[in-house]
């Protein structure tokens, strides 16, 4: 039985996985660690508007897929920004300003000092910039406005006007370039070098590691919340991948918490932007060229983040690819409450994990290779709500407000 009609998918067991290896080896704690997590947690929890996002149980969908429970951590309301990305980019802006103030003034500041604009004379001279397909740029712009520094955001040709407006609403200058996401990353880097701006990117590469580390560390608040909200330990986690920062943050947190006994970990990508899948198959970071024209805008990335890869290569159990049609169906399943659960508003990039689960659970070979069965408790991260309301309405056939009203 298949709950998703568009049944094309790929599943690759990670050839580099070794579950017996401890997290504390091979420099992984220099990337993400419990100490850095505690610092991030303290800062982010002090921001106005912080509250835990809810877990949504989908017991009827679980029954249809032959698993015990499906739990969906719904990030649609995070800080009013609509996605989990609110945790990463804004935290990295804070950390950058904190380091600059230490260097320039010799002071150690916390979020509350910047929120009260105590050092605005200095922060107004520090410009932050990044490339984005929507959500990360919104977070950086929001953080820049909140902490008092100028911001320039680069978007590629495929980013919708609605997403650009959502970024500009936080006072950032938005610049559109031709080419894909990776071209926008390069343009932001070269303009930053020219003007003395600071790049706050969610992807890391050789020589640019410290900021994306902070971005990922911010994401781990979401994982920690989910684990403390859950009543039982998940047996499986399906999570979507763009450059891999989110997937690495979740994997790292589970690995640090549960070691060898961590849940089975499956990273799901669009088939049109499958850089993590291809890297796993090749045993090394592998670039996907081209337009990367998937509806899953947040996952339209062709190059893995170097730091994320250092965690995912040894830590993920499997990699999957799914089609745009499968993602659209998964959005509708949640919006329509097709199996009788509460309706959930989930954006295009939020549902790749759910689509991956639905496809794998409906295929005998994949069920067996992932040990999915009637005792499986599956955790999903619904990483965005309807961050592009026009696209959401086009796919689901109703506005997010109508779906929300049906859930109330
Ligand atoms: C909603 C959403 N989910 C998942 C991701 C993937 O995150 P990453 O690029 O860190 O893999 C993104 C990235 O922008 C996103 O916007």
């Amino acid at each position: 039985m298949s709950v998703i009609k568009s049944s094309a998918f790929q599943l690759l067991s990670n050839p580099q996985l070794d579950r017996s290896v401890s997290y504390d080896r091979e420099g992984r704690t220099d990337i993400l660690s419990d100490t850095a997590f505690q610092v991030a947690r303290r800062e982010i929890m002090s921001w106005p508007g912080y509250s835990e996002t809810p877990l949504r149980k989908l017991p009827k969908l679980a029954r249809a897929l032959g698993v015990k429970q499906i739990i969906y951590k719904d990030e649609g309301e995070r800080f009013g920004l609509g996605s989990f990305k609110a945790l990463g980019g804004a935290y990295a802006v804070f950390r950058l300003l904190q380091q600059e103030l230490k260097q320039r003034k010799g002071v150690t500041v916390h979020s509350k000092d910047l929120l009260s604009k105590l050092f605005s004379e200095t922060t107004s001279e520090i410009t932050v910039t990044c490339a984005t397909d929507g959500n990360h740029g919104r977070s950086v712009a929001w953080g820049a406005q909140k902490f008092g520094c100028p911001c320039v955001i680069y978007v590629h040709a495929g980013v919708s006007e609605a997403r650009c407006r959502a970024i500009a609403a936080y006072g950032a200058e938005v610049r559109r370039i031709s080419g894909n996401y990776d071209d926008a990353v390069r343009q932001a880097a070269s303009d930053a070098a020219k003007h003395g701006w600071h790049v706050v990117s969610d992807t890391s590469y050789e020589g640019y590691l410290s900021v994306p580390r902070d971005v990922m560390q911010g994401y781990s608040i979401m994982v920690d919340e989910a684990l403390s909200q859950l009543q039982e330990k998940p047996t499986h986690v399906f999570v979507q991948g763009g450059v891999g920062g989110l997937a690495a943050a979740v994997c790292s947190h589970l690995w640090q918490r549960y070691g060898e006994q961590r849940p089975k970990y499956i990273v799901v990508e669009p088939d049109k932007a499958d850089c993590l899948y291809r890297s796993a198959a090749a045993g090394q970071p592998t670039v996907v060229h081209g337009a990367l024209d998937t509806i899953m805008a947040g996952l339209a990335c062709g190059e893995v983040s170097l730091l994320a890869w250092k965690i995912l290569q040894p830590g993920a159990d499997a990699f999957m690819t799914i089609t745009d049609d499968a993602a659209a169906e998964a959005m509708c399943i949640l919006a329509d409450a097709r199996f009788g659960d509460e309706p959930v508003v989930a954006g295009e990039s939020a549902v790749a994990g759910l689509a991956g689960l639905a496809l794998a659970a409906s295929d005998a070979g994949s069920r067996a290779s992932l040990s999915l069965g009637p005792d499986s408790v599956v955790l999903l991260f619904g990483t965005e709500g309807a961050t592009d309301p026009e696209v959401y309405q086009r796919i689901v056939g109703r506005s997010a407000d109508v779906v929300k009203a049906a859930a109330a």
Side-chain angles (χ1 to χ4, degrees), residues 296-321:
M296 294 168 259
L299 314 182
C301 310
E303 294 179 34
V304 302
S305 167
L306 203 62
L307 291 177
W309 187 242
K310 286 189 176 166
I311 289 171
L312 292 174
Q313 182 174 33
D317 289 83
F319 293 85
M320 280 185 84
T321 67

Side-chain angles (χ1 to χ4, degrees), residues 96 123-129 149-152 196-199:
L96 190 133
T123 56
S124 63
E125 288 167 358
I126 302 166
T127 299
V128 292
T129 185
C149 67
C151 179
V152 181
W197 299 342
H198 297 262
V199 177

